[in-house]
């Protein structure tokens, strides 16, 4: 089963002519998601060449790398918060342990 190739630009690009979709792909002012949607729409129409598939592959690879890097950065950004939470837990639970011990011994 192939995933549906659509994003938030797809519905607008269904109404555009092929010439305009090609212009979007080649213009650096457009977002990468817009370029991918234009390539997908041209593919749906049976139009694109291998060059455009290569462009789409490069864009998707860059987006995947960017998401992976963001995930890795976020993973390490939470370390100190987790360490602080462990210290706070110890400070709060340590006296409660003595209190529970005193209650159980009396």
């Amino acid at each position: 089963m192939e995933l549906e190739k659509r994003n938030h630009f797809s519905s607008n690009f269904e109404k555009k002519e092929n010439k305009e979709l090609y212009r979007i792909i080649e213009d650096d002012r457009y977002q990468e998601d817009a370029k991918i949607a234009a390539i997908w729409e041209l593919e749906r129409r049976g139009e694109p060449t291998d060059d455009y598939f290569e462009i789409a592959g490069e864009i998707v690879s860059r987006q995947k790398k960017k998401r992976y890097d963001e995930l890795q950065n976020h993973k390490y950004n939470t370390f100190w918060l987790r360490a602080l939470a462990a210290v706070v837990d110890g400070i709060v639970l340590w006296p409660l342990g003595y209190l529970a011990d005193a209650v159980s011994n009396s």
Side-chain angles (χ1 to χ4, degrees):
M1 179 176 119
E2 186 176 322
L3 293 175
E4 184 176 2
K5 295 180 175 181
R6 295 186 62 79
N7 64 21
H8 53 281
F9 291 102
S10 296
S11 59
N12 290 336
F13 286 4
E14 289 172 353
K15 302 167 193 157
K16 296 191 181 297
E17 294 182 11
N18 292 356
K19 183 178 178 180
E20 192 171 358
L21 294 174
Y22 283 117
R23 187 179 56 76
I24 289 168
I25 295 167
E26 294 170 2
D27 191 338
D28 289 337
R29 293 178 295 175
Y30 284 92
Q31 297 177 25
E32 290 184 337
D33 285 345
K35 292 181 178 195
I36 290 174
I39 292 169
W40 288 341
E41 181 57 27
L42 288 168
E43 177 186 20
R44 191 182 67 76
R45 296 175 187 179
E47 285 292 321
T49 64
D50 291 337
D51 294 339
Y52 291 115
F53 287 130
E54 189 174 319
I55 291 169
E58 291 171 5
I59 291 171
V60 169
S61 293
R62 276 196 305 271
Q63 289 178 338
K64 284 182 180 180
K65 183 180 180 335
K66 181 180 175 184
R67 280 189 222 120
Y68 176 80
D69 290 344
E70 289 171 354
L71 179 64
Q72 292 301 314
N73 288 337
H74 176 70
K75 183 169 98 175
Y76 294 111
N77 285 342
T78 61
F79 171 78
W80 291 111
L81 290 175
R82 293 177 186 186
L84 179 62
V87 171
V88 170
D89 286 348
I91 292 170
V92 170
L93 296 176
W94 181 62
L96 291 177
Y98 276 117
L99 181 64
D101 190 40
V103 170
S104 68
N105 287 337
S106 43

